[in-house]
Amino acid sequence: MKINVDGNDRRFKAVWFENNDVRLIDQRKLPEELEIINAKDSDEVAAMIRDMAIRGAPAIGIIAAYGLAMAKIKGEDMDKAVKKIGGTRPTAYDLFKAIEYMKSNNFELSAATRYSNEISGRCKKIGEYGNQLISDGSKILTHCNAGALAVVDWGTALAPMRVAHDEGKNIFVFVDETRPRLQGAKLTAWELLQEGIDHAIISDNAAGFYMKRGEIDLAIVGADRIASNGDFANKIGTYEKAVVAKTNNIPFYVAAPGSTFDFSIKTGDEIPIEERSEEEVLIINGKNLGPKGSPAKNPAFDVTPHEYVTAFITEYGIFRPEELHRMQNLIEKDLFMRSA
Amino acid sequence: MKINVDGNDRRFKAVWFENNDVRLIDQRKLPEELEIINAKDSDEVAAMIRDMAIRGAPAIGIIAAYGLAMAKIKGEDMDKAVKKIGGTRPTAYDLFKAIEYMKSNNFELSAATRYSNEISGRCKKIGEYGNQLISDGSKILTHCNAGALAVVDWGTALAPMRVAHDEGKNIFVFVDETRPRLQGAKLTAWELLQEGIDHAIISDNAAGFYMKRGEIDLAIVGADRIASNGDFANKIGTYEKAVVAKTNNIPFYVAAPGSTFDFSIKTGDEIPIEERSEEEVLIINGKNLGPKGSPAKNPAFDVTPHEYVTAFITEYGIFRPEELHRMQNLIEKDLFMRSA
């Protein structure tokens, strides 16, 4: 992805391998600081996933792949390393897909690199397919961050917007701030700013207002896990946006690479939903929002039923929920995906 | 309303008249501090409404009534005073209703006191009627603050919950934090804490999650203005909650006194929507949330079409949207409401 550092555009990945360590952009510090941090063993990789120094389903898969390759190089007990990294976050399917891939490739560093490059290349394809859905002048809603930071480059939901912008289409992005962790306001807005894509941050409450007023032409979001029938888990709030989009006849697209599709489960009811700490809701910038003594509840994801999805934008093309069996066939013939 | 001060329960109103000044709880300081401030002329009253030291449609009406009585006592130019106070916030109908009431009562202080007591008493009735909709064990969603702070006592949406709790019903309230200004997390949670009503703060994004899981039995919200056909304006995000509630067959109630009903307009399309500053979205606790350079959009209210309203809870009883003409007849026979 393009990041402007001291006035110069430079290219970065969200995570990579260097000098036997895993290196990554600390996403908790954005947009204020661009800080690169190192993870030196599988404990540190697990901590960084759990504490969300890195997040986004494809990126979690990629750091898991690099983390396991590093653990192997450094002579760690691989069963323990797999358990530690696999036990960090339950919802994103890419984590388990990446672990399977690394297992079947003997935890080689070359496999981790291939995994990262494959997923990134596939996201570029998502961008190209998704670009077909975007017109000059399109106003697009997105939720959370499904950008380059959530992959290693390109992004999923943001990839079509990048390609459309690169082709010279004028687009405008409504960025849901995405409480509680504000990945929209902090990460998506920051990515769009780096790329020079026109946008505005809105409170999550305002998306319906703009949908009802006819000011949003389409919505594109990412996914953390997609079931065989097209039900999908994504950042909390996605379900509300999808329901309100359907009410207003606004196409609602889900952009994700094959690694996010879990054909081992039939419906979204089988997707485990992570509950995170109440502090994420109650504390912003170190200060309590509410009164001391009021508790909070904090589900990190919700499941949107497939009937709210217009189509999935993938590296294989664009599929309506009822067409996902065709995509499953393509994945089964896909050497890279099959090896996971 | 009950407020615990240094370990003792004391009774407060959100706004009152004392020593020729208007006094009010500064709601911008809650829940951290209970600070009582004075407004000494109509300029200060207008500033406090505009800057949201006081908010909530009925409370805006009441401070306007007291503000105009004070202006009269202090010999202000009443045309200017009316213009200043009437020009503060465009959406809440109570503001205009209260100004009409004071005009027809020669801006007498006794009229302002009567207006305040009437509205507060009517909210108690809302509580009694609304209590009939609440069962022992009910789990209730609310959005923003439609509590005692938004009136002078009792509240609108919170009045039924207060009455149900006082009757010994066990209830649980899901409190939408209500970005951007967080009136749910800051004010509603604080009121519920004072009353000892069980609750949890959730990010606005999480309401749909709990609705879909069947964990919410009913929703009760307030209103800023209600049109003849039952379309109503309320805090931004209300529309999304109403749509998702309907999708999940969850009853969605709007609690408001007659002063919030604007029978001069046919539909919600005629309700002006206030846009507030982008800083409300971008800055929390003095710190920018997003990257410098990203703009925000900040509509303060949205309009929910009447088909999403199960019923209105009023001091005259409970009315489905198609029954509002009956309520209009009652208002026309209501001496207090007629005099406005």
Side-chain angles (χ1 to χ4, degrees), chain B residues 32-316:
Chain B
E32 290 83 7
E33 291 167 46
L34 178 68
E35 188 176 327
I36 310 297
I37 53 177
N38 282 25
K40 296 183 189 306
D41 56 33
S42 61
D43 279 324
E44 289 188 3
V45 167
M48 280 167 193
I49 299 174
R50 196 178 293 109
D51 300 343
M52 296 178 72
I54 187 164
R55 21 65 51 206
I60 291 172
I62 292 163
I63 192 174
Y66 280 130
L68 290 172
M70 176 179 67
K72 171 98 185 287
I73 290 168
K74 296 193 175 173
E76 291 189 35
D77 177 327
M78 290 312 294
D79 284 345
K80 281 190 186 158
V82 163
K83 210 167 167 185
K84 268 184 285 191
I85 291 176
T88 48
R89 300 196 68 198
T91 305
Y93 188 58
D94 301 66
L95 173 60
F96 309 105
K97 190 88 175 173
I99 290 172
E100 285 311 308
Y101 185 81
M102 292 303 290
K103 270 188 191 166
S104 20
N105 287 282
N106 202 26
F107 305 112
E108 297 292 344
L109 176 59
S110 61
T113 305
R114 192 164 66 247
Y115 186 87
S116 174
N117 291 342
E118 271 284 343
I119 298 298
S120 171
R122 284 155 189 264
C123 287
K124 189 179 176 199
K125 280 195 184 158
I126 288 174
E128 289 159 1
Y129 283 117
N131 174 40
Q132 301 168 9
L133 304 166
I134 297 175
S135 309
D136 189 37
S138 280
K139 292 179 185 155
I140 308 166
L141 174 71
T142 192
H143 191 70
C144 197
N145 173 265
L149 291 166
V151 185
V152 277
D153 205 353
W154 292 97
T156 55
L158 295 197
M161 305 179 208
R162 281 195 159 87
V163 173
H165 176 74
D166 288 348
E167 280 199 357
K169 291 178 189 168
N170 278 312
I171 60 171
F172 183 87
V173 184
F174 285 89
V175 179
D176 282 348
E177 61 174 5
T178 318
R179 284 278 291 148
R181 291 187 66 106
L182 297 160
Q183 295 97 330
K186 289 184 180 296
L187 306 180
T188 298
W190 180 80
E191 284 196 36
L192 295 173
L193 211 55
Q194 305 299 323
E195 300 282 344
I197 298 175
D198 202 12
H199 66 281
I201 298 168
I202 56 172
S203 70
D204 301 302
N205 283 323
F209 175 86
Y210 290 108
M211 288 197 253
K212 182 161 164 281
R213 289 231 292 209
E215 295 192 30
I216 292 174
D217 299 306
L218 71 162
I220 312 179
V221 300
D224 287 83
R225 191 186 296 217
I226 302 162
S228 305
N229 72 341
D231 296 353
F232 74 103
N234 191 44
K235 181 55 52 198
I236 191 77
T238 303
Y239 166 65
E240 289 196 17
K241 305 308 157 194
V243 169
V244 178
K246 193 179 175 96
T247 297
N248 290 282
N249 297 313
I250 294 167
F252 194 91
Y253 296 103
V254 179
S259 53
T260 307
F261 286 79
D262 181 0
F263 287 109
S264 78
I265 59 172
K266 285 189 182 163
T267 77
D269 293 343
E270 296 170 65
I271 302 176
I273 298 296
E274 177 183 3
E275 301 248 355
R276 294 185 60 88
S277 79
E278 62 178 2
E279 282 72 26
E280 290 190 348
V281 174
L282 295 175
I283 298 171
I284 295 190
N285 294 339
K287 233 180 120 184
N288 223 302
L289 294 182
K292 291 228 163 60
S294 282
K297 287 172 179 273
N298 184 20
F301 303 94
D302 55 28
V303 171
T304 301
H306 59 90
E307 60 260 36
Y308 296 104
V309 179
T310 305
F312 294 92
I313 310 170
T314 80
E315 69 271 41
Y316 307 103

Side-chain angles (χ1 to χ4, degrees), chain A residues 291-326:
Chain A
K292 291 228 162 61
S294 283
K297 290 173 177 272
N298 184 20
F301 303 94
D302 56 27
V303 171
T304 301
H306 59 90
E307 59 262 36
Y308 296 104
V309 179
T310 306
F312 294 93
I313 310 170
T314 79
E315 70 270 43
Y316 306 104
I318 296 171
F319 300 87
R320 285 179 284 124
E322 61 272 27
E323 295 172 328
L324 282 186
H325 60 276
R326 284 212 293 118

